[in-house]
Structure formats: C-alpha cells, structure tokens
Amino acid sequence: MSIFDIFAKLEQEEKNKPAPQPIEWLVVGLGNPGKKYENNRHNTGFRVIDALCKKHNVRCDRSKFQALIGEAVLGGHRCLLMKPQTFMNASGDAVAEAADFYKIPSEHILVIFDDISLPVGTLRIRPKGSAGGQNGVKNIIFMLSSELFPRIKVGVGAKPHPDYDLADWVLSNVTEEEMPAMHDAIERAVLAISELIENGVPAATQKYNGKNKQPEQCK
C-alpha cells in the first residue's frame, strides 16, 4: 500500500466517524475563584464539580465562557461542566454565555450551590424557584430571564447568631467538625446529578433530598 493509499484510507475513516453527541446539559457549580476561597461555605458548588470530575475521571480546567469547563457523559447525556470564574455575584454572565452558545434551555441547566437555610449535610433538590437570597442564583435568574432551571442546594448551616455578618459567614471555612457531613453531602450531590439528568427531578428528589439518604444502587 502506497503512502497515498494510507492517507486516503485515514481520510475515509475520518469521514465515517459518527458526529459527536451535542451538549445537552449544563452542570454548573457556584463559587469564587482563587485559593483563598476554596474551603469557604460559598464554594460548595465548586467542590461538588470537583468531586464529580474525580468520580468520572474527567477534568474541568479549560477556560471558556468566563468559566473553567470540562465535559462528561452523565445519565447518557453529554454535559458541559462549569465553574464560573466571574465571582459569585456575576455567575449568570458565564452561564448565559454557555447556554446561548449551545442553545441549552433553562430546564437543562442544573445549578449546584450552598444554602444557609439548610443544616450542614442536607440536600434539597428543586425543579425551579426563586434565588432565596443566594446572589449567584439571583444573577443567573436575571441573565436567563427565567427561574425554570433545576438546582441542587447543599446545606452549609445558618449563621451562628443573628448579628453575625452574612458575607463573613458564607466566606468562612467549613469546620473540621462539619467536614464529615459536608463530605457526605457532596458525594450524594454527585450521585444526584446523574440521577436527575437520567431520570428527572422527582427521581433525584426521592432518593437524595434530606440528609444521609443512601440509595439502593449508586450510579
């Protein structure tokens, strides 16, 4: 076989490759960029994405859409993983840019974030809703002009007393005593992501809403 025949064969094989599956979901973890924030309560969404990447042996480290991005197939669907680098209050800039590029409807944008109204280690999965005081979610709602996106809230606990500054609280680190419950919640959030994408919000809610629920089978 001549060199020309080899190149012709390679070209034909390239043409015969199936078209890549389009991006169907955005999976967005919220947080603030920078090492000094990485263990903050407010960076719980980032930590869920990191745990998801570890479980599926993928990376979320390419820079695009004002975010660090990666890809994974979850529940049979090709997903774009995102950690916005805009700082929390402008998270919607990154999300809207990616959603517009891939033509992703709000119903296929899954957002994972911290919630101070929930005890540490508790998950709350919802198909839609208001921001509930979470500024990153508030900005996403504004930029998408929609509340109709599913979300996984991870409890980080309420302020220790009413006079405690809210910003100081969410930017405080998770304590050593809280770590086991937080680790468990992050692991269950990772499982809930695939469950939600494959089988819908009700299925994910039934298995993972609350605290320390362990499903019969882990996907």
Side-chain angles (χ1 to χ4, degrees):
M1 181 181 291
S2 71
I3 188 67
F4 300 105
D5 293 332
I6 292 173
F7 278 121
K9 182 180 179 183
L10 290 173
E11 184 178 355
Q12 188 61 44
E13 288 176 352
E14 189 67 28
K15 287 181 180 178
N16 291 337
K17 282 184 180 179
Q21 182 182 359
I23 295 289
E24 298 178 86
W25 282 80
L26 302 184
V27 180
V28 185
L30 299 189
N32 287 309
K35 193 168 183 63
K36 71 175 182 177
Y37 298 108
E38 64 183 16
N39 292 318
N40 289 178
R41 297 172 195 277
H42 230 14
N43 272 40
T44 302
F46 276 13
R47 290 201 293 277
V48 172
I49 294 295
D50 290 342
L52 178 70
C53 288
K54 184 176 181 181
K55 178 177 175 60
H56 292 277
N57 196 29
V58 297
R59 299 172 69 93
C60 186
D61 57 4
R62 289 186 287 127
S63 182
K64 192 174 184 180
F65 308 123
Q66 304 180 69
L68 294 178
I69 64 168
E71 292 185 20
V73 176
L74 306 173
H77 299 272
R78 186 178 171 207
C79 303
L80 187 78
L81 314 180
M82 296 185 67
K83 297 197 295 184
Q85 300 295 290
T86 53
F87 287 92
M88 181 67 77
N89 292 1
S91 299
D93 293 350
V95 175
E97 189 175 338
D100 182 65
F101 183 85
Y102 289 110
K103 309 304 179 195
I104 305 295
S106 296
E107 294 82 359
H108 278 203
I109 300 174
L110 174 56
V111 182
I112 305 100
F113 57 94
D114 58 288
D115 191 322
I116 64 168
S117 71
L118 299 174
V120 173
T122 302
L123 297 186
R124 182 169 292 164
I125 303 165
R126 293 288 184 266
K128 59 183 179 179
S130 67
Q134 217 281 2
N135 286 333
V137 178
K138 185 184 300 183
N139 189 246
I140 292 172
I141 290 172
F142 174 75
M143 294 301 295
L144 295 178
S145 298
S146 175
E147 297 181 350
L148 302 178
F149 53 87
R151 66 281 310 269
I152 298 175
K153 306 177 185 183
V154 183
V156 296
K159 297 187 297 181
H161 55 80
D163 295 334
Y164 202 106
D165 184 77
L166 178 58
D168 288 344
W169 177 243
V170 296
L171 294 177
S172 68
N173 287 347
V174 175
T175 67
E176 187 175 341
E177 292 75 18
E178 293 169 326
M179 273 298 184
M182 182 60 71
H183 177 76
D184 177 71
I186 288 171
E187 292 300 312
R188 288 184 295 113
V190 166
L191 298 175
I193 289 169
S194 292
E195 181 70 34
L196 187 152
I197 289 171
E198 182 174 8
N199 297 315
V201 172
T205 299
Q206 184 177 15
K207 283 188 175 182
Y208 297 104
N209 249 17
K211 192 170 185 177
N212 295 322
K213 283 189 175 181
Q214 297 294 338
E216 293 179 4
Q217 291 184 336
C218 296
K219 298 187 178 216

